[in-house]
Each structure stands twice: as structure tokens, then as C-alpha cells.
Amino acid sequence: EIVMTQSPATLSVSPGERATLSCRASQSVSTNLAWYQQKPGQAPRLLVYGASTRATGVPARFSGSGSGTEFTLTISSLQSEDFAVYYCQQSNNWPVTFGQGTKVEIK
Amino acid sequence: QITLKESGPTLVKPTQTLTLTCTFSGFSLTTSGVGVAWIRQPPGKALEWIAFIYWNDDKRYSPSLQNRVTITKDISKNQVVLTMTNVDPVDTATYYCARRLLVRGQVLDPWGQGTLVTVSS
């Protein structure tokens, strides 16, 4: 099973600042990596798939990069609605696995 | 518009069998490449994938749960059903269903709102 490790666990950022979230896979997942956003009491929402393709309707301030074992989700200028938990997910190998999440909180 | 909605019991006793239904609209499980997944999330914890079912009736299960779960589909009702036997309090979680996006890999979009299931005597 591929283990996905996200860092940091919590990221404190001021509105308007840049946030950089990391996701590391225990073995290569090529670019079969997706990012999801989850707000309290809500279902996850797809942000990025294929490591760098934004999902429909996702603002351009969200960008994904990486391949192999190292991935990054960058939020260029945090808006109030971006404070949430972010999960990465690999689907290069079965079973599909998620990271433990990074909580982006207001500094 | 694609929507999915989970339904089922909110409280189940230990050792019982849990049956959850995902009712969807806006797509068909007869279309090539389409799949529906179940994912769960214990309170305050991370997401855990449970199972996938595809348009051709191919099924995939999490190794940690495969001995206790079964996923099936009812095309006529636009439903996917997850059955979990011998539940335990550690199975307490919000259970989500989600559609597989028709791109490379198992990308999930959109998700249902989720249903909280508590396992307790």
C-alpha cells in the first residue's frame, strides 16, 4: 500500500499570503495525484487532479505541481473561504490512499 | 447536474450488518469508464477509501475491509449499495459516495453530502 504523507499537519497563514502544502508518496505515483478541499461539516471537493490540472470551477489561485513522489499544492493568495483541510490522494496503485490532511488556519 | 446522496441507518449495533445506499443522478453507470466509490471518514480523522464499482461490474475493495464489505449496483434505480458485515465501534464514521471523474486515475468528483453512521450498543 502506498502511504501518502502530508506536511505540515497545520499551516497558519494570514489572508492574502501564499500557502504551500506538501504531499509525499512512499513510492512513485507518476502524476496520478489529486487534491481535495474539505470545510467543516462538508464533503470533500476536488481541486486538482493529474497533479496539476485544476478541476472545473476552481479558482486560478490554486495550483498543483510535482510528479513521482513529491507534490505541492499552492494557494497563491489565501482568501477567507480557503481556510479548510486539504487532502492528497493517489490512484496510481490499488488501494487508493489518502494523506492525513493539512489544516490551513487563520494566523 | 450530477448529484449523489447517501442513505442508511444512523445507528447500528456491534456485530450487525450495515447497508448504505448511494442514489445518484446526472450520469449512468452503464457508460464506459464510469465508476462510483465509497469513502469513509471517522470523526476528526482522515479519509479512507472503501470500494469502487464500475460500469462493467468490475469491483475493487480496500484490503483492510474486503472481508467485510460488498459493493453492488442497481442500474434501474441509479443506486450503488455498500454492505458491511460484523460492524464494530471503529466503523463509526461519515460515509460518502462519489463518482469517478472520466480522466486518468481514480479521481472522485463530485461527492455526496455524506451520512454519519454510529456503531454502538
Side-chain angles (χ1 to χ4, degrees):
Chain A
E1 172 175 318
I2 296 178
V3 177
M4 307 302 292
T5 302
Q6 293 185 240
S7 61
T10 303
L11 187 60
S12 297
V13 186
S14 300
E17 290 188 340
R18 172 187 294 258
T20 302
L21 289 67
S22 296
C23 176
R24 173 176 292 178
S26 60
Q27 64 188 76
S28 177
V29 299
S30 184
T31 55
N32 291 307
L33 190 286
W35 289 94
Y36 301 87
Q37 176 193 65
Q38 187 177 34
K39 298 180 181 179
Q42 295 186 18
R45 168 200 177 197
L46 176 68
L47 295 177
V48 169
Y49 62 91
S52 61
T53 302
R54 274 190 304 275
T56 302
V58 174
R61 63 181 181 272
F62 291 91
S63 63
S65 63
S67 66
T69 62
E70 301 284 343
F71 301 89
T72 300
L73 177 70
T74 301
I75 312 171
S76 60
S77 177
L78 270 159
Q79 305 299 302
S80 58
E81 61 267 29
D82 301 335
F83 292 95
V85 178
Y86 293 83
Y87 293 96
C88 61
Q89 173 229 338
Q90 71 80 23
S91 60
N92 192 64
N93 289 60
W94 294 105
V96 166
T97 49
F98 292 88
Q100 80 279 19
T102 290
K103 181 180 181 180
V104 177
E105 64 176 24
I106 301 174
K107 187 174 183 180
Chain B
Q1 182 188 7
I2 292 173
T3 64
L4 304 96
K5 186 173 184 179
E6 307 85 353
S7 60
T10 57
L11 181 63
V12 184
K13 296 184 187 303
T15 75
Q16 289 186 336
T17 294
L18 169 65
T19 299
L20 295 171
T21 300
C22 174
T23 302
F24 58 86
S25 64
F27 67 95
S28 173
L29 250 180
T30 61
T31 302
S32 179
V34 173
V36 172
W38 283 96
I39 309 98
R40 70 179 181 178
Q41 185 174 38
K45 296 189 177 180
L47 301 164
E48 178 185 20
W49 169 70
I50 302 171
F52 252 109
I53 190 165
Y54 295 92
W55 85 103
N56 59 359
D57 212 36
D58 187 20
K59 300 167 187 177
R60 299 278 185 164
Y61 295 102
S62 166
S64 63
L65 294 168
Q66 64 180 5
N67 292 333
R68 297 197 294 129
V69 299
T70 303
I71 191 169
T72 59
K73 58 182 170 62
D74 186 329
I75 300 301
S76 64
K77 295 181 180 178
N78 275 358
Q79 291 179 337
V80 172
V81 176
L82 181 75
T83 303
M84 180 179 290
T85 61
N86 192 27
V87 297
D88 181 272
V90 299
D91 296 314
T92 294
T94 297
Y95 286 76
Y96 297 99
C97 61
R99 185 200 66 159
R100 175 183 179 258
L101 193 64
L102 290 177
V103 296
R104 180 181 172 188
Q106 312 309 313
V107 181
L108 302 169
D109 181 59
W111 295 52
Q113 64 188 24
T115 185
L116 176 61
V117 178
T118 300
V119 180
S120 174
S121 55

